[in-house]
């Protein structure tokens, strides 16, 4: 069982602020790092899947980076909007495609 | 819409009972995963199937069992239910090969009274 940790646990930011959170994971047996966005009363939706050290992915105002050697990934949100309010989950997948999730960062964007 | 269907949406039952949760994966996905989310906890991995065969087990209790059928739908059976089994149970599917993302169903909310 992989120990995936996310920080901070929760975050409140003002609309327009940029923010970032961290996901750390064991670097041994690493295969892929996933980010998911989970809105209240919905199911998690995939944002990014990253595999290579130094990988950087972007979708609109959200981007993510990956460092497999030291075992961390950052998720960045530029110019946060109220609709970005959600829990952001990361998951580390091993070579058997077993996914281990962190407990998430709960983001609240205050209008 | 993720394409993953879970039934029922809600289930209320008494301690000691047995229930079955069902999941139809997204079309084309061969792998099915079951996760449990209890109050204030993250997603706990229970079990994974790939093309009808069990591939990995996580924190699944002996009272729980699952299977994936030839048509790739999956069932999670929970027996001798306890109050602590109350949780949101998610099914997710993926292609199962390569670094493919998970597609989640809307979950089944189980309440044990």
């Amino acid at each position: 069982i992989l120990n995936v940790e996310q920080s901070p646990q929760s975050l409140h930011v003002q609309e327009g602020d940029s923010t970032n959170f961290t996901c750390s994971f064991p670097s041994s047996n690493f295969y892929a790092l996933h980010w998911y966005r989970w809105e209240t009363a919905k199911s998690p939706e995939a944002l990014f899947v990253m595999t290579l050290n130094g990988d950087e992915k972007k979708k609109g105002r959200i981007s993510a980076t990956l460092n497999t050697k030291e075992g961390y990934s950052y998720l960045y949100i530029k110019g946060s909007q109220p609709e970005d309010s959600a829990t952001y989950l990361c998951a580390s997948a091993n070579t058997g495609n077993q996914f281990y999730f962190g407990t998430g960062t709960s983001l609240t964007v205050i209008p | 819409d993720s394409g993953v269907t879970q039934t029922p949406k809600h289930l209320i039952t008494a301690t000691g009972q047995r229930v079955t949760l069902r999941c139809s994966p997204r079309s084309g996905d061969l792998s099915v995963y079951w996760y449990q989310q209890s109050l204030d906890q993250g997603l706990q991995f229970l079990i994974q199937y790939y093309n009808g065969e069990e591939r990995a087990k996580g924190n699944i209790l002996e009272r729980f069992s699952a299977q994936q059928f030839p048509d790739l739908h999956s069932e999670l059976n929970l027996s001798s239910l306890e109050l602590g089994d109350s949780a949101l149970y998610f099914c997710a599917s993926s292609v199962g090969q390569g670094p493919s993302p998970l597609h989640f169903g809307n979950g089944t909310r189980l309440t044990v009274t």
Side-chain angles (χ1 to χ4, degrees), chain A residues 19-38:
Chain A
T19 187
N20 64 85
F21 2 106
T22 307
C23 171
S24 61
F25 54 90
S27 48
S28 61
N29 229 9
F30 172 82
Y31 183 57
L33 192 285
H34 295 233
W35 281 100
Y36 292 82
R37 182 168 178 272
W38 191 0

Side-chain angles (χ1 to χ4, degrees), chain A residues 1 31 36 43 49 97-99, chain B residues 33 35 48 56 59 98-99 102 105:
Chain A
I1 294 179
Y31 183 57
Y36 292 82
S43 52
V49 179
N97 255 339
Q98 283 109 49
F99 294 75
Chain B
Y33 301 75
Y35 286 88
Q48 177 198 4
N59 298 322
L102 292 178

Side-chain angles (χ1 to χ4, degrees), chain B residues 59-76:
Chain B
N59 298 322
I60 188 165
L61 300 171
E62 282 192 17
R63 300 183 285 108
F64 295 2
S65 65
Q67 54 183 324
Q68 186 181 28
F69 294 88
D71 67 353
L72 300 177
H73 92 272
S74 178
E75 292 182 357
L76 178 67

Side-chain angles (χ1 to χ4, degrees), chain B residues 11-19 78 81 83 86 110-113:
Chain B
L11 205 46
I12 301 173
T13 190
T15 53
Q17 295 299 303
R18 173 190 167 95
V19 297
L78 315 175
L81 284 167
L83 295 176
S86 296
L110 173 67
T111 303
V112 183
T113 61

